[in-house]
């Protein structure tokens, strides 16, 4: 077993990889060869460098390297400074950019752009229709280009589009820039799922996804405060909502340029790290068994991704959570002001909602870390959503105490958001094979965008300000969410039991502590040594 200090010596090229089965007796060799004929992708005692990405193979050690906890912590901190910081800041910018329309809705944009009927709803829906269309092409590109550079370009592009929103005077102009915004922002979340699997160990990924995803809450807090400040602008050549879009757009352009300079594309291309550290960063994610990169397209993995029940389970979780969040996010200002609060009070009350979202996401991540029960934690956080929604539909709005009570119910309704975050982290941890991962991530965000596109449309203008039809639809989503979570848990537990049975029966490939096939771009189904988190 090699130690960390020997990482450079352990990294071998395909030409120097040892031949498989060289120590087996002649009597065993016939059995092994017969098994190999049945499952040629798996039954090898050594790593097959020909199946690895050529760039990655240069950094993969011949045998598993034990990395001390101190060294692991040091490496993780290096990665956090270069990767996690960028993901958090980028997602914060994206959420605050999207949130501008909600804040602008009560700052005069509907009147200035002469929006009528469902026009305002379509300004959110068009973003997600665009994402639905471009999601798979974007995931195909993400898997084959320098990911940090592509993310940098996308951030600068959406910043420019956002700034142009300030010049729009009617529905046509707004729907055009919002459609382009969806095109460029569609890169962000899929890229983060790939980056999480590329840089972080399995047990680290749920927390990292939570850190960048909780920027939805931070956006509510900071966005509410900034929107309050912009609302105070009452004179000058531009309206307050125009200054809002222009300022956020310019900041995004400059930040996008910074991302291209600061963030490495992969551990192998990270010029900011030493060669020894780069090898150890590759080695530390061996146990994930989900690989780092492989640019070869494998059509069999496409089919597996489309027919895998867990892929559809994650996608349905996205549908059941994004449909409510999209509508609640787009209409938060209208809903809160509908409880009888002024514009400035509404902007400030959005900050409390942001704090609650952060508490929900951090506490759910902490519970997962303590219990290792992702899906049961999801179920627990759906319960407050049922309670809050039922109260919003039944409690009358007659006095101040009822207004405050309904506001609190609106806050706790968003507890289900933890399911959306944890499901994304499970995609990065449970899906192996780079082509399969790109398909499953694309499927996830196609359904995610479908939910986001439908969400604002269930808030019918004539049904305001209480929107009973919308909240009844949300209750249906929560019921389906419970069914999907329970079904997904039964399926993943069953799959792990089957693999444990193989290991107990003496199948070496189902109990390989050295994880020699971890970087060979095998899917989670092709690799019997893979175990699912649930």
């Amino acid at each position: 077993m090699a130690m960390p200090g020997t990482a450079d010596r352990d990294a071998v090229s395909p030409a120097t990889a040892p031949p498989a089965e060289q120590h087996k007796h002649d009597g065993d060799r016939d059995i092994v060869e017969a098994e190999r004929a049945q499952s040629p992708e798996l039954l090898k005692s050594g790593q097959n460098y020909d199946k690895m990405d050529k760039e990655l193979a240069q950094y993969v050690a011949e045998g598993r390297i034990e990395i001390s906890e101190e060294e692991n912590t040091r490496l993780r901190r290096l990665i956090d400074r270069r990767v996690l910081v960028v993901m958090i800041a980028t997602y914060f910018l994206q959420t605050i950019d999207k949130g501008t329309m909600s804040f602008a809705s009560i700052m005069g944009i509907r009147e200035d752009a002469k929006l009528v009927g469902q026009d305002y709803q379509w300004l959110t829906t068009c973003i997600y229709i665009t994402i639905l269309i471009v999601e798979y092409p974007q995931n195909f590109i993400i898997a084959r280009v320098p990911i940090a550079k592509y993310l940098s370009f996308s951030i600068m592009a959406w910043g420019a589009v956002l700034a142009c929103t300030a010049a729009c005077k009617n529905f046509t102009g707004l729907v055009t820039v919002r459609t382009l915004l969806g095109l460029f922002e569609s890169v962000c979340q899929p890229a983060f799922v790939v980056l999480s699997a590329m840089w972080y160990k399995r047990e680290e990924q749920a927390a990292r996804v939570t850190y960048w995803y909780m920027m939805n809450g931070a956006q509510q807090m900071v966005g509410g405060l900034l929107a309050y400040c912009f609302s105070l602008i009452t004179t000058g050549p531009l309206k307050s909502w125009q200054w809002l879009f222009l300022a956020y757009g310019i900041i995004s352009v400059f930040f996008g340029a910074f991302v291209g300079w600061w963030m490495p594309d992969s551990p192998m291309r990270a010029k900011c790290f030493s060669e020894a550290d780069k090898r150890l960063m590759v080695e530390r994610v061996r146990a994930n068994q989900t690989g780092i990169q492989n640019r070869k397209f494998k059509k069999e993995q496409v089919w597996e991704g489309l027919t895998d029940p867990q892929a559809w389970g994650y996608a349905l979780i996205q549908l059941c959570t994004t449909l409510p969040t999209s509508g609640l996010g787009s209409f938060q200002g209208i809903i809160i002001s509908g409880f009888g609060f002024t514009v400035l009070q509404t902007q400030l009350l959005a900050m409390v909602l942001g704090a609650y979202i952060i508490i929900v996401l951090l506490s759910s991540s902490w519970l997962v870390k303590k219990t290792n029960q992702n899906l049961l934690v999801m179920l627990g956080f759906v319960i407050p959503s049922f309670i809050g929604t039922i109260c919003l539909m039944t409690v009358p709005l007659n006095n101040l105490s009822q207004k405050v009570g309904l506001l609190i119910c609106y806050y706790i309704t968003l507890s289900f958001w933890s399911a959306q975050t944890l499901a994304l982290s499970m995609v990065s941890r449970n899906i192996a094979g780079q082509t399969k991962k790109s398909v499953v991530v694309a499927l996830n965000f196609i359904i995610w965008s479908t939910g986001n596109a439908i969400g604002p449309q269930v808030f019918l203008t004539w049904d305001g300000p209480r929107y009973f039809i919308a909240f009844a639809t949300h209750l249906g989503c929560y019921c389906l969410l419970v069914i999907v979570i329970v079904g997904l848990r039964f399926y993943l537990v069953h799959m792990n039991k089957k693999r444990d049975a193989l290991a107990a029966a003496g199948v070496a490939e189902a109990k390989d502590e050295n994880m020699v096939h971890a970087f060979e771009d095998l899917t989670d189904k092709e690799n019997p040594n893979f175990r699912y988190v649930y």
Side-chain angles (χ1 to χ4, degrees):
M1 190 73 67
M3 298 303 290
T6 63
D8 289 328
R9 295 197 303 271
D10 283 329
V12 296
S13 66
T16 60
E21 313 296 344
Q22 70 182 62
H23 297 303
K24 287 195 171 289
H25 296 293
D26 291 339
D28 295 332
R29 184 172 289 120
D30 292 337
I31 298 174
V32 171
E33 292 299 330
E35 291 175 338
R36 188 178 294 170
Q38 296 175 357
S39 186
E41 299 295 323
L42 300 173
L43 301 177
K44 295 181 172 68
S45 64
Q47 295 177 142
N48 189 336
Y49 286 84
D50 291 334
K51 293 184 180 299
M52 297 181 193
D53 179 85
K54 301 307 179 186
E55 187 176 63
L56 172 62
Q58 298 176 35
Y59 289 87
V60 174
E62 180 181 341
R64 188 179 183 184
I65 299 173
E66 294 292 341
I67 302 176
S68 68
E69 188 58 36
E70 294 78 10
E71 184 75 349
N72 206 30
T73 300
R74 183 185 70 84
L75 293 170
R76 185 177 64 245
R77 286 173 178 169
L78 287 176
I79 295 168
D80 283 346
R81 284 198 290 268
R82 286 282 175 172
V83 179
L84 181 62
V85 169
V86 168
M87 290 198 293
I88 289 173
T90 301
Y91 200 69
F92 173 74
L93 272 180
Q94 186 185 65
T95 54
I96 205 168
D97 289 352
K98 286 180 178 177
T100 51
M101 187 55 68
S102 177
F103 292 120
S105 68
I106 55 175
M107 294 170 67
I109 191 173
R110 290 185 293 172
E111 295 76 16
D112 291 341
K114 300 178 177 61
L115 303 181
V116 296
Q118 295 290 107
D119 284 355
Y120 174 73
Q121 288 88 325
W122 277 106
L123 295 182
T124 297
T125 296
C126 68
I127 289 179
Y128 297 106
I129 291 176
T130 305
I131 295 174
L132 188 153
I133 295 170
V134 304
E135 195 56 56
Y136 184 72
Q138 289 285 30
N139 275 271
F140 185 86
I141 294 170
I142 287 169
R144 286 159 180 81
V145 300
I147 190 168
K149 304 301 183 295
Y150 191 52
L151 181 63
S152 169
F153 162 77
S154 300
I155 296 169
M156 289 190 288
W158 92 50
V161 168
L162 192 72
C164 290
T165 309
C168 296
K169 301 295 184 182
N170 52 42
F171 174 74
T172 303
L174 286 172
V175 81
T176 300
V177 294
R178 299 290 282 178
T179 299
L180 290 173
L181 193 66
L183 170 64
F184 297 119
E185 289 193 347
S186 64
V187 175
C188 183
Q189 292 188 75
F192 288 0
V193 174
V194 173
L195 287 167
S196 296
M198 177 186 292
W199 289 96
Y200 290 103
K201 298 170 67 176
R202 255 181 157 190
E203 58 267 28
E204 299 165 351
Q205 289 178 31
R208 267 65 195 172
V209 172
T210 298
Y211 293 154
W212 57 261
Y213 216 78
M214 73 182 185
M215 291 301 102
N216 286 289
Q219 179 270 139
Q220 294 288 342
M221 298 174 67
V222 179
L225 181 60
L226 290 176
Y228 172 80
C229 295
F230 278 103
S231 296
L232 300 177
I233 300 175
T234 57
T235 59
L238 299 178
K239 301 289 182 69
S240 58
W241 64 266
Q242 291 175 307
W243 282 115
L244 195 68
F245 283 108
L246 188 62
Y248 290 168
I250 292 172
I251 291 170
S252 297
V253 170
F254 281 103
F255 179 75
F258 169 78
V259 170
W261 170 73
W262 180 256
M263 187 179 184
D265 293 303
S266 70
M268 296 78 71
R269 293 191 177 191
K271 295 179 180 179
C272 51
F273 303 134
S274 68
E275 286 298 305
D277 280 350
K278 286 156 68 173
R279 296 181 192 282
L280 291 177
M281 287 173 182
V282 169
E283 183 60 32
R284 72 189 294 271
V285 298
R286 178 188 288 270
N288 294 356
Q289 300 190 85
T290 54
I292 291 180
Q293 75 176 27
N294 193 298
R295 294 190 171 94
K296 183 179 180 182
F297 178 80
K298 299 179 179 179
K299 60 182 180 181
E300 65 275 10
Q301 290 192 12
V302 174
W303 178 249
E304 183 177 320
L306 292 175
T307 56
D308 191 341
Q310 65 163 332
W312 289 98
Y314 302 136
L316 283 173
I317 290 174
Q318 295 302 318
L319 176 65
C320 295
T321 54
T322 55
L323 194 153
T325 54
S326 176
L328 292 171
S330 297
F331 280 78
Q332 69 168 17
I334 297 171
I335 293 170
I336 294 175
S337 62
F339 294 150
F341 298 101
T342 66
V343 171
L344 296 182
Q345 288 173 335
T346 298
Q347 303 285 32
L348 295 176
L349 286 171
M351 297 173 64
V352 181
L353 175 61
Y356 180 74
I357 291 172
I358 291 175
I359 292 170
V360 165
L361 297 183
L362 285 178
S363 58
S364 62
S365 175
W366 181 83
L367 284 171
V368 167
K369 185 177 180 180
K370 291 295 182 183
T371 64
N372 291 321
Q373 295 292 335
N374 294 262
L375 294 166
L376 292 182
V377 170
M378 290 185 200
L379 279 178
F381 277 86
V382 175
I383 295 172
S385 299
F386 277 104
I387 297 171
T389 304
I390 291 171
C391 289
L392 285 171
M393 296 178 67
T394 57
V395 175
L397 184 60
N398 297 323
N399 53 53
L400 180 61
S401 61
Q402 289 174 334
K403 291 178 181 179
V404 174
L406 286 171
L407 179 66
I408 294 172
C409 289
Y410 176 68
Y411 290 161
I412 67 172
T413 296
L414 286 157
S415 298
F416 68 86
W417 213 324
S418 65
Q420 189 177 126
T421 307
L422 293 175
L424 277 180
S425 74
M426 289 179 71
V427 171
S428 69
R429 290 177 286 166
N430 278 348
I431 304 296
Q434 297 306 306
T435 302
K436 179 180 179 180
K437 188 186 291 290
S438 69
V439 169
V440 173
V441 171
L443 174 64
N444 237 262
F445 285 105
I446 286 171
I447 302 300
W448 175 87
S449 60
T450 301
N452 275 303
I454 297 171
Q457 298 299 327
V458 301
F459 283 82
L460 303 172
T461 303
W462 55 264
D463 194 36
R466 297 295 296 273
Y467 299 106
F468 293 107
I469 292 175
F471 288 120
T473 305
H474 293 179
L475 282 178
C477 289
Y478 305 148
C479 292
L480 178 58
L481 179 60
V482 169
I483 295 170
V484 172
I485 290 172
V486 172
L488 186 57
R489 190 175 193 280
F490 274 113
Y491 174 76
L492 295 177
V493 169
H494 172 68
M495 294 296 290
N496 278 358
K497 286 182 177 178
K498 286 176 64 176
R499 290 161 189 234
D500 290 342
L502 285 175
V507 178
E509 289 74 22
K511 192 177 181 181
D512 176 15
E513 294 183 356
N514 289 324
M515 303 176 188
V516 295
H517 303 295
F519 295 113
E520 293 177 13
D521 199 39
L522 299 176
T523 68
D524 49 282
K525 285 193 172 184
E526 290 173 334
N527 185 359
N529 199 47
F530 193 93
R531 297 296 187 275
Y532 297 99
V533 296
Y534 54 81

Coordinates of all heavy atoms in Angstrom, one line a residue, residues 181-228:
L181 N -31.8 34.8 -21.0 CA -31.3 34.6 -19.7 C -31.4 33.1 -19.4 O -30.4 32.5 -18.8 CB -32.1 35.4 -18.7 CG -31.6 35.5 -17.3 CD1 -30.3 36.3 -17.2 CD2 -32.6 36.2 -16.3
G182 N -32.5 32.4 -19.7 CA -32.6 31.0 -19.5 C -31.6 30.2 -20.3 O -31.0 29.2 -19.8
L183 N -31.2 30.6 -21.5 CA -30.2 29.9 -22.3 C -28.9 29.9 -21.6 O -28.2 28.9 -21.5 CB -30.1 30.6 -23.7 CG -28.9 30.2 -24.5 CD1 -29.1 28.7 -24.9 CD2 -28.8 31.1 -25.8
F184 N -28.4 31.0 -21.1 CA -27.1 31.1 -20.5 C -27.1 30.6 -19.0 O -26.1 30.0 -18.6 CB -26.6 32.6 -20.6 CG -26.4 33.1 -22.0 CD1 -27.1 34.2 -22.5 CD2 -25.5 32.4 -22.8 CE1 -26.9 34.6 -23.8 CE2 -25.3 32.8 -24.1 CZ -26.0 33.9 -24.6
E185 N -28.1 30.8 -18.3 CA -28.2 30.3 -16.9 C -28.4 28.8 -16.8 O -28.1 28.2 -15.8 CB -29.3 31.0 -16.1 CG -29.0 32.5 -15.9 CD -29.9 33.1 -14.8 OE1 -30.9 32.5 -14.5 OE2 -29.6 34.2 -14.3
S186 N -28.7 28.2 -17.9 CA -28.9 26.7 -17.9 C -27.6 25.9 -17.7 O -27.7 24.7 -17.4 CB -29.6 26.2 -19.2 OG -28.7 26.5 -20.3
V187 N -26.5 26.6 -17.8 CA -25.2 25.9 -17.6 C -24.9 25.7 -16.1 O -24.3 24.7 -15.7 CB -24.1 26.8 -18.2 CG1 -22.7 26.2 -17.9 CG2 -24.3 26.9 -19.7
C188 N -25.4 26.6 -15.2 CA -24.9 26.7 -13.9 C -25.1 25.5 -13.0 O -24.2 24.8 -12.6 CB -25.6 27.9 -13.2 SG -25.1 28.2 -11.5
Q189 N -26.4 25.1 -12.8 CA -26.6 23.9 -11.9 C -26.1 22.6 -12.4 O -25.5 21.9 -11.6 CB -28.1 23.8 -11.5 CG -28.6 25.0 -10.7 CD -30.0 24.8 -10.2 OE1 -30.3 24.1 -9.3 NE2 -30.9 25.5 -10.8
P190 N -26.3 22.3 -13.7 CA -25.7 21.0 -14.1 C -24.1 21.0 -14.0 O -23.6 20.0 -13.6 CB -26.1 21.0 -15.6 CG -27.3 21.8 -15.7 CD -27.1 22.9 -14.7
A191 N -23.5 22.1 -14.2 CA -22.1 22.2 -14.1 C -21.7 22.0 -12.6 O -20.7 21.3 -12.3 CB -21.6 23.6 -14.6
F192 N -22.5 22.5 -11.7 CA -22.1 22.3 -10.3 C -22.3 20.9 -9.8 O -21.5 20.4 -9.0 CB -23.0 23.2 -9.4 CG -22.7 24.7 -9.5 CD1 -21.7 25.1 -10.3 CD2 -23.4 25.6 -8.8 CE1 -21.4 26.5 -10.4 CE2 -23.2 27.0 -8.9 CZ -22.1 27.4 -9.7
V193 N -23.3 20.1 -10.4 CA -23.4 18.7 -10.0 C -22.2 18.0 -10.5 O -21.6 17.1 -9.8 CB -24.7 18.2 -10.7 CG1 -24.8 16.6 -10.5 CG2 -25.9 18.8 -10.1
V194 N -21.7 18.3 -11.7 CA -20.5 17.6 -12.3 C -19.3 18.0 -11.4 O -18.5 17.1 -11.1 CB -20.3 18.0 -13.7 CG1 -19.0 17.5 -14.3 CG2 -21.5 17.5 -14.6
L195 N -19.2 19.3 -11.1 CA -18.0 19.7 -10.3 C -18.0 19.1 -8.9 O -16.9 18.7 -8.4 CB -18.0 21.2 -10.2 CG -17.7 22.0 -11.4 CD1 -18.1 23.5 -11.3 CD2 -16.2 21.9 -11.8
S196 N -19.2 18.9 -8.3 CA -19.2 18.3 -7.0 C -18.7 16.9 -7.0 O -17.9 16.4 -6.1 CB -20.7 18.3 -6.5 OG -21.1 19.6 -6.3
A197 N -19.1 16.1 -8.0 CA -18.6 14.7 -8.2 C -17.1 14.7 -8.6 O -16.4 13.7 -8.2 CB -19.4 14.0 -9.2
M198 N -16.6 15.7 -9.3 CA -15.3 15.7 -9.7 C -14.3 16.0 -8.6 O -13.2 15.4 -8.6 CB -15.1 16.8 -10.9 CG -13.7 16.9 -11.4 SD -13.7 18.3 -12.6 CE -14.6 17.7 -13.9
W199 N -14.7 16.9 -7.7 CA -13.7 17.4 -6.7 C -13.9 16.9 -5.3 O -12.9 16.9 -4.5 CB -13.8 18.9 -6.6 CG -13.3 19.7 -7.8 CD1 -14.0 20.1 -8.9 CD2 -11.9 20.0 -8.1 NE1 -13.2 20.7 -9.8 CE2 -11.9 20.7 -9.3 CE3 -10.7 19.8 -7.4 CZ2 -10.7 21.2 -9.9 CZ3 -9.5 20.3 -7.9 CH2 -9.5 21.0 -9.2
Y200 N -15.1 16.4 -5.0 CA -15.4 16.1 -3.6 C -15.7 14.6 -3.3 O -16.3 13.9 -4.2 CB -16.6 16.9 -3.1 CG -16.2 18.4 -3.0 CD1 -16.6 19.3 -3.9 CD2 -15.4 18.8 -1.9 CE1 -16.2 20.7 -3.8 CE2 -15.0 20.2 -1.8 CZ -15.4 21.1 -2.7 OH -15.0 22.4 -2.6
K201 N -15.4 14.1 -2.2 CA -15.7 12.8 -1.7 C -17.2 12.7 -1.5 O -17.9 13.7 -1.3 CB -15.0 12.4 -0.4 CG -13.4 12.4 -0.6 CD -12.7 12.3 0.7 CE -13.0 11.0 1.4 NZ -12.2 10.8 2.6
R202 N -17.7 11.5 -1.6 CA -19.2 11.3 -1.4 C -19.7 11.9 -0.2 O -20.8 12.6 -0.2 CB -19.5 9.8 -1.4 CG -20.0 9.2 -2.7 CD -20.3 7.8 -2.5 NE -21.3 7.3 -3.4 CZ -21.9 6.1 -3.4 NH1 -21.5 5.3 -2.4 NH2 -22.8 5.8 -4.2
E203 N -19.1 11.7 1.0 CA -19.6 12.2 2.2 C -19.5 13.7 2.3 O -20.1 14.3 3.2 CB -18.8 11.6 3.4 CG -17.3 11.8 3.4 CD -16.6 10.7 2.7 OE1 -17.1 10.0 1.8 OE2 -15.4 10.4 3.1
E204 N -18.8 14.4 1.4 CA -18.6 15.8 1.4 C -19.7 16.5 0.5 O -19.9 17.7 0.6 CB -17.2 16.2 1.0 CG -16.1 15.7 1.8 CD -14.7 15.9 1.2 OE1 -14.7 16.2 0.0 OE2 -13.7 15.6 1.9
Q205 N -20.2 15.8 -0.4 CA -21.0 16.4 -1.5 C -22.3 17.0 -1.0 O -22.8 18.0 -1.5 CB -21.2 15.4 -2.6 CG -20.0 15.1 -3.4 CD -20.2 14.0 -4.5 OE1 -21.3 13.9 -5.0 NE2 -19.1 13.2 -4.8
A206 N -23.0 16.3 -0.1 CA -24.3 16.8 0.3 C -24.2 18.2 1.0 O -25.0 19.1 0.7 CB -25.0 15.8 1.3
A207 N -23.1 18.3 1.8 CA -22.9 19.6 2.4 C -22.5 20.7 1.4 O -23.0 21.8 1.4 CB -21.8 19.5 3.4
R208 N -21.7 20.3 0.4 CA -21.2 21.3 -0.6 C -22.4 21.7 -1.5 O -22.5 22.9 -1.8 CB -20.1 20.7 -1.5 CG -18.7 21.1 -1.0 CD -18.4 20.5 0.3 NE -17.3 21.0 1.0 CZ -16.9 20.7 2.2 NH1 -17.7 19.9 2.9 NH2 -15.9 21.2 2.8
V209 N -23.3 20.8 -1.9 CA -24.4 21.2 -2.7 C -25.3 22.1 -1.8 O -25.9 23.1 -2.4 CB -25.2 19.9 -3.1 CG1 -26.6 20.3 -3.8 CG2 -24.4 19.1 -4.1
T210 N -25.5 21.8 -0.5 CA -26.3 22.6 0.3 C -25.7 24.0 0.4 O -26.5 25.0 0.4 CB -26.4 22.0 1.7 OG1 -27.0 20.7 1.7 CG2 -27.1 22.9 2.7
Y211 N -24.4 24.2 0.5 CA -23.8 25.5 0.7 C -24.1 26.4 -0.5 O -24.4 27.6 -0.3 CB -22.2 25.3 0.8 CG -21.8 24.7 2.1 CD1 -20.6 24.0 2.2 CD2 -22.6 24.7 3.2 CE1 -20.2 23.4 3.3 CE2 -22.2 24.1 4.4 CZ -21.0 23.4 4.5 OH -20.6 22.8 5.6
W212 N -24.0 25.8 -1.7 CA -24.3 26.7 -2.9 C -25.8 26.9 -3.1 O -26.3 27.9 -3.5 CB -23.6 26.3 -4.1 CG -23.7 25.0 -4.7 CD1 -22.9 23.9 -4.6 CD2 -24.8 24.5 -5.6 NE1 -23.4 22.8 -5.3 CE2 -24.5 23.2 -5.9 CE3 -25.9 25.1 -6.1 CZ2 -25.3 22.4 -6.8 CZ3 -26.8 24.4 -7.0 CH2 -26.5 23.0 -7.3
Y213 N -26.6 25.8 -2.7 CA -28.0 25.9 -3.0 C -28.7 26.8 -2.0 O -29.7 27.4 -2.3 CB -28.6 24.5 -2.9 CG -29.8 24.3 -3.8 CD1 -29.5 24.1 -5.2 CD2 -31.1 24.4 -3.4 CE1 -30.5 23.9 -6.1 CE2 -32.1 24.3 -4.3 CZ -31.9 24.0 -5.7 OH -32.9 23.9 -6.5
M214 N -28.1 27.0 -0.8 CA -28.7 27.9 0.2 C -28.6 29.3 -0.2 O -29.1 30.2 0.5 CB -28.2 27.6 1.6 CG -26.8 28.1 1.9 SD -26.3 27.7 3.6 CE -24.7 28.5 3.6
M215 N -27.9 29.6 -1.2 CA -27.8 31.0 -1.7 C -29.2 31.5 -2.2 O -29.5 32.7 -2.4 CB -26.8 31.1 -2.9 CG -25.4 31.0 -2.5 SD -24.9 32.2 -1.2 CE -24.9 31.2 0.3
N216 N -30.2 30.5 -2.4 CA -31.6 30.9 -2.6 C -32.1 31.7 -1.4 O -32.8 32.7 -1.6 CB -32.4 29.7 -2.8 CG -32.2 29.0 -4.2 OD1 -32.6 29.6 -5.2 ND2 -31.6 27.8 -4.2
G217 N -31.7 31.3 -0.2 CA -32.1 32.0 1.0 C -31.3 33.3 1.1 O -31.9 34.3 1.5
A218 N -30.0 33.2 0.9 CA -29.2 34.4 1.0 C -29.7 35.5 0.0 O -29.7 36.7 0.3 CB -27.7 34.1 0.7
Q219 N -30.1 35.1 -1.2 CA -30.7 36.0 -2.1 C -31.9 36.7 -1.6 O -32.1 37.9 -1.8 CB -31.0 35.3 -3.4 CG -31.6 36.1 -4.5 CD -33.1 36.2 -4.5 OE1 -33.7 37.2 -4.7 NE2 -33.8 35.1 -4.2
Q220 N -32.7 36.0 -0.9 CA -33.9 36.6 -0.3 C -33.5 37.7 0.7 O -34.2 38.7 0.8 CB -34.8 35.5 0.4 CG -35.4 34.4 -0.5 CD -36.5 35.0 -1.4 OE1 -37.0 36.0 -1.1 NE2 -36.8 34.3 -2.4
M221 N -32.5 37.4 1.5 CA -32.1 38.3 2.5 C -31.4 39.6 1.9 O -31.8 40.7 2.1 CB -31.1 37.6 3.5 CG -31.8 36.5 4.2 SD -30.6 35.6 5.3 CE -30.2 36.9 6.5
V222 N -30.4 39.3 1.1 CA -29.6 40.4 0.5 C -30.4 41.1 -0.6 O -30.5 42.3 -0.7 CB -28.3 39.9 -0.1 CG1 -27.5 41.0 -0.7 CG2 -27.4 39.3 1.0
G223 N -31.1 40.3 -1.4 CA -32.0 40.8 -2.4 C -33.1 41.7 -1.9 O -33.4 42.8 -2.5
G224 N -33.7 41.3 -0.8 CA -34.7 42.1 -0.2 C -34.2 43.4 0.3 O -34.8 44.4 0.1
L225 N -33.0 43.4 0.9 CA -32.4 44.6 1.4 C -32.0 45.6 0.3 O -32.3 46.8 0.3 CB -31.2 44.3 2.3 CG -30.5 45.5 2.9 CD1 -31.4 46.3 3.9 CD2 -29.2 45.0 3.7
L226 N -31.4 45.0 -0.7 CA -31.0 45.8 -1.9 C -32.2 46.4 -2.6 O -32.2 47.5 -3.1 CB -30.1 45.0 -2.8 CG -28.7 44.6 -2.3 CD1 -28.0 43.7 -3.3 CD2 -27.9 45.9 -2.0
A227 N -33.3 45.5 -2.8 CA -34.5 46.0 -3.4 C -35.1 47.1 -2.7 O -35.6 48.0 -3.2 CB -35.4 44.8 -3.6
Y228 N -35.0 47.0 -1.3 CA -35.6 48.1 -0.5 C -34.8 49.4 -0.8 O -35.4 50.5 -0.9 CB -35.4 47.7 1.0 CG -35.7 48.8 2.0 CD1 -37.0 49.1 2.3 CD2 -34.7 49.5 2.6 CE1 -37.3 50.1 3.2 CE2 -35.0 50.5 3.5 CZ -36.3 50.8 3.8 OH -36.5 51.8 4.7

